[in-house]
């Protein structure tokens, strides 16, 4: 079945450093979604990418969808303590429901 | 607007006991989902209902049953709880199948 791999599993950064998490699917995706989960909270939808090669920005966050629609990345510029949490990608392929990656847990050291 | 409401927030069961986790959404969404989250395992889909009147198995359905009671409500039942079902359970809804998910606050279940 469809698999979504996400790396790294953990990332510790100094405040002000950049952060990137990568997502790879075993199948071509129709769309990919990104979620953020704060410690003790629930996942919250951030963004959806649909088009091949698409790039979207939300303030310091940049999301990319690969040309082959099998990979994606989330880049955070100049991390802040408010960025702490786990970032999940989730992909859809065909008529199957969303498949989540295992997430990247980001810690920011002030 | 409450969004997605899950009850209870916490529950402790003994092995073999049964219980039902309740979920309701007030966003008029068509699709609803149950996930479990375990450390290092991400979010795994238990069951989902793409639209009212339909339910389908997800990745980890064994030991669970669901009921889409109406458009608003989607319940998850554990008939005979096992320690392996200790987890955090999230209900989610979406406008349509494949649309972005709105999650509830979760139910933390411990089975002893």
């Amino acid at each position: 079945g469809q698999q979504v791999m996400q790396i790294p599993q953990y990332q510790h950064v100094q405040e002000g450093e950049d952060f990137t998490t990568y997502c790879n699917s075993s199948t071509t995706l129709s769309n990919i979604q990104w979620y953020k989960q704060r410690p003790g909270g629930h996942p919250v939808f951030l963004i959806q990418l649909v088009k091949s090669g698409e790039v979207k920005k939300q303030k310091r966050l940049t999301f990319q969808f690969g040309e082959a629609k099998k990979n994606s990345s989330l880049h955070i510029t100049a991390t802040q303590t408010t960025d702490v949490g786990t970032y999940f990608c989730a992909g859809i392929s065909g008529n199957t429901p969303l498949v989540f990656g295992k997430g990247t847990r980001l810690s920011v050291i002030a | 607007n409450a969004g997605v409401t899950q009850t209870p927030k916490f529950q402790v069961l003994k092995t073999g006991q049964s219980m039902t986790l309740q979920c309701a959404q007030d966003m008029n969404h068509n699709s609803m989902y149950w996930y479990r989250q375990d450390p290092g395992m991400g979010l795994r889909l238990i069951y989902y209902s793409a639209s009212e009147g339909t339910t389908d198995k997800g990745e980890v359905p064994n030991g669970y049953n669901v009921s889409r009671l109406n458009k608003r409500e989607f319940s998850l039942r554990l008939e005979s709880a096992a320690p392996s079902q200790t987890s955090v359970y999230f209900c989610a809804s979406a406008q349509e199948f494949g649309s972005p998910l709105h999650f509830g606050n979760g139910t933390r279940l411990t089975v002893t």
Side-chain angles (χ1 to χ4, degrees), chain A residues 9-10 31 33 35 37 40-45 48 86 88 92 94-103 105, chain B residues 33 35 37 39-45 48 57-59 88 90 97-106 108:
Chain A
Q9 190 174 2
Y10 302 97
N31 75 60
Q33 299 169 16
Y35 294 79
Q37 184 177 24
H42 59 275
V44 174
F45 170 71
Q48 176 174 274
T86 302
F88 293 97
I92 281 206
N95 291 325
T96 60
L98 268 177
V99 174
F100 279 80
K102 292 186 178 180
R105 184 184 295 179
Chain B
Y33 307 79
Y35 288 88
Q37 185 172 38
M41 298 297 292
L43 291 151
R44 293 184 293 170
L45 183 63
Y48 66 100
K57 295 178 180 180
E59 180 186 356
V88 179
F90 287 103
F97 184 71
S99 298
L101 300 176
H102 297 253
F103 284 86
N105 289 333
R108 188 173 296 273

Side-chain angles (χ1 to χ4, degrees), chain B residues 15-55:
Chain B
T15 297
Q17 287 185 319
S18 63
M19 81 159 295
T20 300
L21 280 64
Q22 307 287 352
C23 175
Q25 52 91 9
D26 62 3
M27 295 174 283
N28 201 36
H29 284 173
N30 288 307
S31 299
M32 297 187 74
Y33 307 79
W34 277 105
Y35 288 88
R36 61 177 288 174
Q37 185 172 38
D38 304 292
M41 298 297 292
L43 291 151
R44 293 184 293 170
L45 183 63
I46 306 171
Y47 270 94
Y48 66 100
S49 172
S51 60
E52 186 181 0
T54 70
T55 60

Side-chain angles (χ1 to χ4, degrees), chain B residues 59-73:
Chain B
E59 180 186 356
V60 289
N62 291 344
Y64 305 95
N65 283 300
V66 290
S67 295
R68 183 76 184 264
L69 304 168
N70 47 56
K71 192 172 185 179
R72 290 186 64 248
E73 298 173 287

